[in-house]
Amino acid sequence: MVDGPVPYYQLHTVALHRVVNEEEPTMAGRPRDPDLEQRLLAATWDLMTEGGYAELTLARVAARAGAHRSDVYRRWSTKSRLVADALNAHVQPMSEVDTGSLRSDLRVYLDDLTRSWSAPWMDSVVGWLSELVDDAEAETTFREMGLRRGRALRLSLDRAAERGEIAALPDAQLISGLLEGPLMHSRIVARRPPSAELLDAVADAAYRVITSMAATR
């Protein structure tokens, strides 16, 4: 080691080395917390539920979890990636219920979608979606979650085809859009929860589209 002042160009490296060493969780007296990541995700979920996406900061997440900001930054380099993982951890899966008919399955699927679109955390999700275009990793997590949540609809369509209720399988993504579009409108534009009558009408309309599409193939 050379005595004397540290050259200017090395100051950042030295400071970073000191920060990493001081915050290293495996040092004596600072045992690793195995529950830290779950606490951070839970804190993120709580803040998403309480306020909008713009109010969510990594510093607030750290404070809510009783952690350091560096604990958050080491795990998630952007807020959008943290929110993606929080959604992945806390959003409930869709019900995979076999009611015996496609129309009834669609209605159950709509009930599950409505619970999500009526939840207090949905405003944070709407704000978060605008940032996905600039964060490929968060967008990938979101799309994978969407595929998992769409499994219930795909299974319902498969069962309907096996029963002979429909002659051919429609585009599941198109049907998902027909079902979810009115719920998005209710939340973002109308700003009121959809009525049971609206959900019945949406299920009826989607069923007619599916059966008519299958009949024309």
Side-chain angles (χ1 to χ4, degrees):
M1 181 175 180
V2 179
D3 294 331
V6 178
Y8 176 80
Y9 66 87
Q10 292 182 359
L11 286 176
H12 176 71
T13 302
V14 172
L16 180 60
H17 176 75
R18 288 173 178 169
V19 169
V20 170
N21 282 341
E22 288 171 3
E23 294 181 353
E24 176 57 50
T26 57
M27 288 180 64
R30 293 283 304 276
R32 183 179 297 276
D33 183 352
D35 299 322
L36 179 57
E37 184 165 316
Q38 294 306 312
R39 292 208 325 268
L40 292 169
L41 291 173
T44 303
W45 185 250
D46 289 344
L47 292 169
M48 288 174 61
T49 301
E50 296 169 9
Y53 183 73
E55 300 174 9
L56 179 68
T57 66
L58 299 186
R60 292 188 67 192
V61 169
R64 176 65 65 93
H68 296 284
R69 279 184 295 179
S70 59
D71 292 328
V72 185
Y73 295 132
R74 277 200 294 265
R75 290 164 174 81
W76 297 279
S77 58
T78 66
K79 182 171 74 169
S80 58
R81 294 178 189 179
L82 171 58
V83 169
D85 284 349
L87 286 168
N88 211 20
H90 290 277
V91 173
Q92 295 297 312
M94 305 292 282
S95 303
E96 296 183 4
V97 178
D98 182 1
T99 66
S101 75
L102 178 58
R103 164 58 177 76
S104 298
D105 282 357
L106 294 176
R107 189 61 177 80
V108 171
Y109 190 77
L110 276 167
D111 281 339
D112 279 358
L113 288 176
T114 300
R115 277 189 285 274
S116 292
W117 279 99
S118 300
W121 46 264
M122 185 54 73
D123 285 337
S124 291
V125 172
V126 172
W128 168 72
L129 289 174
S130 64
E131 293 195 0
L132 292 185
V133 66
D134 298 319
D135 196 324
E137 183 177 324
E139 183 175 8
T140 297
T141 301
F142 173 67
R143 292 188 180 279
E144 290 172 350
M145 182 175 64
L147 287 173
R148 287 195 299 274
R149 285 174 62 78
R151 170 183 159 86
L153 176 60
R154 295 192 298 273
L155 289 175
S156 293
L157 295 172
D158 288 343
R159 289 193 299 265
E162 291 171 359
R163 288 192 300 263
E165 194 174 355
I166 56 177
L169 287 172
D171 184 337
Q173 188 171 1
L174 171 62
I175 303 307
S176 177
L178 292 175
L179 294 170
E180 198 157 10
L183 305 183
M184 296 171 63
H185 183 275
S186 294
R187 178 72 186 221
I188 299 172
V189 180
R191 304 298 294 178
R192 62 174 180 267
S195 64
E197 291 76 17
L198 175 63
L199 297 179
D200 287 339
V202 171
D204 289 338
Y207 183 75
R208 287 195 297 270
V209 168
I210 293 169
T211 53
S212 64
M213 289 174 63
T216 57
R217 291 190 176 185

